Amino acid sequence: MPSSRNLTTAIEGRRVGWISRRIDQAENRAGNRRWYGGLLAAVLAIGLWWLLSASGRFSTMLLPSPEQVVAAFKQSVTTHNGQPGILGSYLWVHFWASLRRVLIGLAWGIILGIPLGLGLGLSRVADRILGPVVEFLRALPPLGYFPLLILWFGIGDASKVWLLALASFAPITIATAAGVAGVRNERVNAALVLGANRFDMVRTVILPSVAADIITGVRVATGFAWTTIVAAETSNGLPGLGGLAWASQKELRADIAILAIIVIGVTAVLSDALLRLLERRLAPWKGRA
Amino acid sequence: MTELQTHGSADLVLDGVGHTYQSVSAPPVEALAPVNLTIAAGQFVVIVGHSGCGKSTLLEIIAGLRPPSRGRVLLGGAEVVGPGRRRGMVFQQSTSLLPWRTVAGNVALGLELQHLPRAERAARIERELTRVGLTEFAQSKVYELSGGMQQRTQIARALAAEPDLLLLDEPFSALDTFTRELMQEELRTIWKSEAKTVIFVTHSVEEATLLGTRVILLSPRPGRVIYDHEIDFSRRDLPLSELRADPDVVAFVAELRNRIGGEKL
Ligand SMILES: Nc1ncnc2c1ncn2[C@@H]1O[C@H](COP(=O)(O)OP(=O)(O)O)[C@@H](O)[C@H]1O
Ligand SMILES: [Mg+2]
């Protein structure tokens, strides 16, 4: 069947073109086009949403219009009949409550994950013994062990922060360990020849070599932490963005849920962009040396 | 301690040094057959051999980076059991430089590890960068330099630590011909002014002839010494460009090429 064959070739040709375009993009300072793409996607999504809700086919209870969400936003940052914002707090209070949990959880994840990752990367024995434990923890869905944490640490912030610390340390550990394993042998040898001891080696060669890998791990962990915290805030999560989204269901306020989702999404995208920037700052030689 | 005591005219002795790479997943690879050599202080020894014949393995063993599976390395009578500051090394790949440090920062590495006072460090960095002609580039990022400049940085880094023995593993093989010839000339000048012991690994018989005071040929894997000869072309008062065309040099290059086997190196 020559025609189908041509079709495959054509598709593969396209795919090759697509791949090489991706590589070109990456080389020509990745960012720009992705930004335009993201903006375009957002505009399209909002347009589609607006069309669907304006069509009148769906109840505004289930699919609120963009105007309703804007109104919910206005409500969330103002006072009504002496009531602050929305569901008991201003939007920024909800936001800060979630961000604070994410930041503290991540901080613990970093504090635990980096030394553990260095240990796993530097010591074969540690890797043999602790590596599987870390892999196992990473494979567990965090919400699976959340009930246990609630039993141990109560329904307050402590259990949520623990949840995030546990959820985020594994990707950071694994990224750090992988980074250490990938440190160029010549660099290590060069420092050894110049008289580096183990401590010198970690300080002058290993840590700077893996700085960007660590940030990659933190980036993965941050995404993970946001999805996890929002889910975790479904129990006693007010104030908090997850709590906000969850409680909106009882109030039959889909507009609040959408507002919360937008805030979470924008925050996640921005923190990801920030960390990507940091990644490139920390290793501008990647792909060059 | 041992290295301090033997500092100075320390002869290097390879006593039956051989190496076999063991691996869990593959059969063992005998990279280096037992080698016996005595290298006197001040020599410029060039080790030549086909790629894969164990040259890097041998240098790493001398540097103390790799314990040999057979035999011993003695420096001034004391057995080498690890790296030491009296032995400096220049690697084939400039990826041994630390890309987050500037040129000066890379040269400073060994001096920092020795906890030298700041003024002493600055003086040595200045001295070595001047020697290799990189003073203007002291604050440049190493990954933005040309390959030749990166290798100069490596040489400056090694020399700043003031080793008695300088090990170079195919340091110019990744450079273009023009840069390589320039660097060969520079290395010859450095060796003449410093009176260090140099062990230089290359797969180029011409490079060996132009630079060495002693040429050692290794057989294909497992590397064995198949030829060991003292020469003195490099001491002639001629620029390398002229030395290269000298009939004696041309003849010796041809002889080496013959001895090592017809293959192009
Ligand atoms: N880490 C290693 N594990 C197993 N084999 C190795 C290893 N390093 C080198 N070899 C093998 O040992 C031989 C000698 O290597 P090497 O000393 O790097 O040679 P050269 O520097 O002369 O090219 C080669 O055949 C190489 O494949
Ligand atoms: Mg080699």
Side-chain angles (χ1 to χ4, degrees), chain B residues 52 54-57 92 169-170 201:
Chain B
K55 304 183 295 295
S56 296
T57 306
Q92 178 173 7
D169 190 358
E170 304 194 38
V201 159

Side-chain angles (χ1 to χ4, degrees), chain A residues 150-175:
Chain A
I150 293 180
L151 283 176
W152 292 343
F153 304 107
I155 54 166
D157 263 9
S159 56
K160 295 185 180 61
V161 168
W162 266 99
L163 179 75
L164 292 184
L166 283 174
S168 58
F169 99 92
I172 296 172
T173 304
I174 291 167

Side-chain angles (χ1 to χ4, degrees), chain A residues 185, chain B residues 19-23 26-32 49-60 66 92 169-170 201-203 218 221-223:
Chain A
N185 222 356
Chain B
H19 196 73
T20 302
Y21 286 100
Q22 304 288 351
S23 150
V29 177
E30 189 182 14
L32 195 64
H50 291 279
S51 152
C53 75
K55 304 183 295 295
S56 296
T57 306
L58 182 60
L59 269 202
E60 284 170 12
R66 191 182 286 291
Q92 178 173 7
D169 190 358
E170 304 194 38
V201 159
T202 179
H203 58 243
L218 291 186
R221 199 183 78 207

Side-chain angles (χ1 to χ4, degrees), chain A residues 35 38 219 222-223 226 262-276:
Chain A
W35 271 114
R219 205 157 60 75
T222 306
W226 273 109
I262 291 175
V263 174
I264 293 161
V266 169
T267 311
V269 167
L270 285 183
S271 54
D272 197 69
L274 201 72
L275 286 166
R276 268 181 202 279

Side-chain angles (χ1 to χ4, degrees), chain B residues 86-258:
Chain B
R86 298 271 148 232
R87 279 159 292 150
M89 186 146 173
V90 175
F91 299 83
Q92 178 173 7
Q93 300 292 341
S94 45
T95 46
S96 79
L97 293 170
L98 306 182
W100 52 88
R101 288 180 174 233
T102 60
V103 169
N106 270 282
V107 177
L109 179 62
L111 313 179
E112 287 170 23
L113 294 172
Q114 287 184 47
H115 304 290
L116 289 186
R118 189 171 286 272
E120 169 77 10
R121 268 190 267 164
R124 288 208 202 173
I125 292 168
E126 171 81 36
R127 184 189 70 203
E128 296 310 330
L129 288 184
T130 309
R131 196 207 302 271
V132 299
L134 283 180
T135 26
E136 280 171 64
F137 297 92
Q139 299 311 318
S140 299
K141 301 182 170 88
V142 286
Y143 56 88
E144 288 175 352
L145 300 182
S146 68
M149 286 154 105
Q150 290 177 342
Q151 289 308 68
R152 283 197 189 107
T153 308
Q154 271 212 71
I155 292 174
R157 174 174 72 178
L159 290 177
E162 300 185 349
D164 299 325
L165 175 59
L166 190 59
L167 307 165
L168 302 100
D169 190 358
E170 304 194 38
F172 309 144
S173 68
L175 305 179
D176 60 89
T177 317
F178 178 73
T179 314
R180 180 163 57 235
E181 292 178 0
L182 219 67
M183 298 290 295
Q184 288 168 345
E185 188 75 85
E186 284 181 18
L187 181 65
R188 184 168 76 142
T189 313
I190 291 168
W191 173 71
K192 280 187 173 173
S193 66
E194 283 286 300
K196 288 186 191 304
T197 317
V198 174
I199 302 182
F200 186 102
V201 159
T202 179
H203 58 243
S204 157
V205 285
E206 189 193 59
E207 193 166 64
T209 310
L210 290 174
L211 295 178
T213 61
R214 180 177 174 189
V215 177
I216 293 171
L217 297 186
L218 291 186
S219 70
R221 199 183 78 207
R224 265 177 315 105
V225 176
I226 52 174
Y227 181 71
D228 184 349
H229 194 73
E230 301 217 355
I231 53 175
D232 64 353
F233 304 111
S234 69
R235 292 189 207 275
R236 293 193 194 170
D237 217 4
L238 278 179
L240 286 187
S241 52
E242 286 173 39
L243 199 55
R244 207 167 253 119
D246 184 288
D248 296 347
V249 169
V250 172
F252 190 72
V253 168
E255 187 192 337
L256 282 185
R257 193 159 278 145
N258 249 340

Side-chain angles (χ1 to χ4, degrees), chain A residues 98 100-113 137 140-171 221 224-225 228-229 232:
Chain A
S98 294
R100 192 174 152 273
R101 290 173 184 136
V102 165
L103 289 180
I104 297 177
L106 269 178
W108 280 110
I110 292 170
I111 291 170
L112 296 172
L137 275 177
L140 289 180
L143 291 174
Y145 50 77
F146 189 40
L148 211 54
L149 296 175
I150 293 180
L151 283 176
W152 292 343
F153 304 107
I155 54 166
D157 263 9
S159 56
K160 295 185 180 61
V161 168
W162 266 99
L163 179 75
L164 292 184
L166 283 174
S168 58
F169 99 92
F224 213 33
T228 308
I229 188 60

